[in-house]
Amino acid sequence: MDVETKMTVHDAMTTNVVTVDPSISVAEAAYIMTKEKVGSLIVKSNAEPEGLITESDIIQKVVSKDLKASKVTIGEVMTKDLITIEPEKELNEAARLMARNNIRRLLVVKDGSLVGILTSTDVMAVSPELTEILVESARFEENTTTYTEEERPLPGICEICGTFAEYLEEYDGKYVCEECKEELEGE
């Protein structure tokens, strides 16, 4: 198996995460993002993250609706249904989770507490071969063909043979290429 497939989320994540309280205004959040040179802020009022606010959220939920950013709180427009991952999980699993959910950021949580953030840029920087998973996901999103979650082709690294495949299928809890699936079914 490739060394890259054994990289963990911890190996690639950013631990210096910028957090804000849900009561601050969108204008304040935009100022903090600009000052800190980040595209998102984690929203929390205790150890556990409550939400995430991104530049896209601000554009889609505030600017496009011509709302006054100083009058809208982060808590009103933040994304609340957070998708998290644990730091010891493999990086290829994180890339698949991002692709499956069409997101570019995963909050890294250990025992309920925020320990970092993993972005698609982090994944691409440390493991270029996983970039294909993220690129293919974007390509499928742009394509007008509609897939159900189960039908949607998922590229990645086979968990049995370690080679990259355009289409992985889940078999017995693992993502495997077509050849390995056929071998497993033949057992």
Side-chain angles (χ1 to χ4, degrees), residues 64-79:
S64 71
K65 295 179 180 178
D66 199 22
L67 300 175
K68 191 162 176 81
S70 60
K71 302 288 184 204
V72 179
T73 67
I74 292 302
E76 294 174 76
V77 294
M78 69 184 182
T79 300

Side-chain angles (χ1 to χ4, degrees), residues 10-31:
H10 183 269
D11 296 328
M13 72 182 195
T14 302
T15 54
N16 188 17
V17 181
V18 183
T19 62
V20 292
D21 190 272
S23 65
I24 73 164
S25 73
V26 170
E28 291 173 278
Y31 172 78

Side-chain angles (χ1 to χ4, degrees), residues 116-176:
I117 188 167
L118 180 72
T119 67
S120 54
T121 306
D122 296 332
V123 173
M124 290 186 281
V126 299
S127 190
E129 45 293 323
L130 293 180
T131 301
E132 192 64 30
I133 295 172
L134 302 169
V135 170
E136 284 298 317
S137 171
R139 226 179 265 150
F140 286 120
E141 283 305 312
E142 289 170 9
N143 192 343
T144 54
T145 308
T146 3
Y147 294 100
T148 65
E149 275 305 307
E150 293 78 37
E151 296 172 328
R152 186 167 161 199
L154 188 64
I157 297 170
C158 174
E159 292 183 44
I160 302 292
C161 66
T163 59
F164 180 83
E166 289 292 325
Y167 303 100
L168 291 179
E169 294 184 52
E170 190 171 0
Y171 185 83
D172 201 22
K174 293 185 178 195
Y175 289 91
V176 298

Side-chain angles (χ1 to χ4, degrees), residues 77-112:
V77 294
M78 69 184 182
T79 300
K80 293 177 184 151
D81 297 328
L82 299 176
I83 298 173
T84 63
I85 194 162
E86 295 168 342
E88 61 276 356
K89 296 288 185 181
E90 287 188 19
L91 203 53
N92 61 359
E93 185 178 336
R96 280 196 297 268
L97 189 58
M98 286 179 184
R100 226 184 352 260
N101 291 285
N102 192 30
I103 57 174
R104 295 185 340 212
R105 296 168 181 89
L106 284 174
L107 301 188
V108 184
V109 175
K110 179 115 177 128
D111 301 323

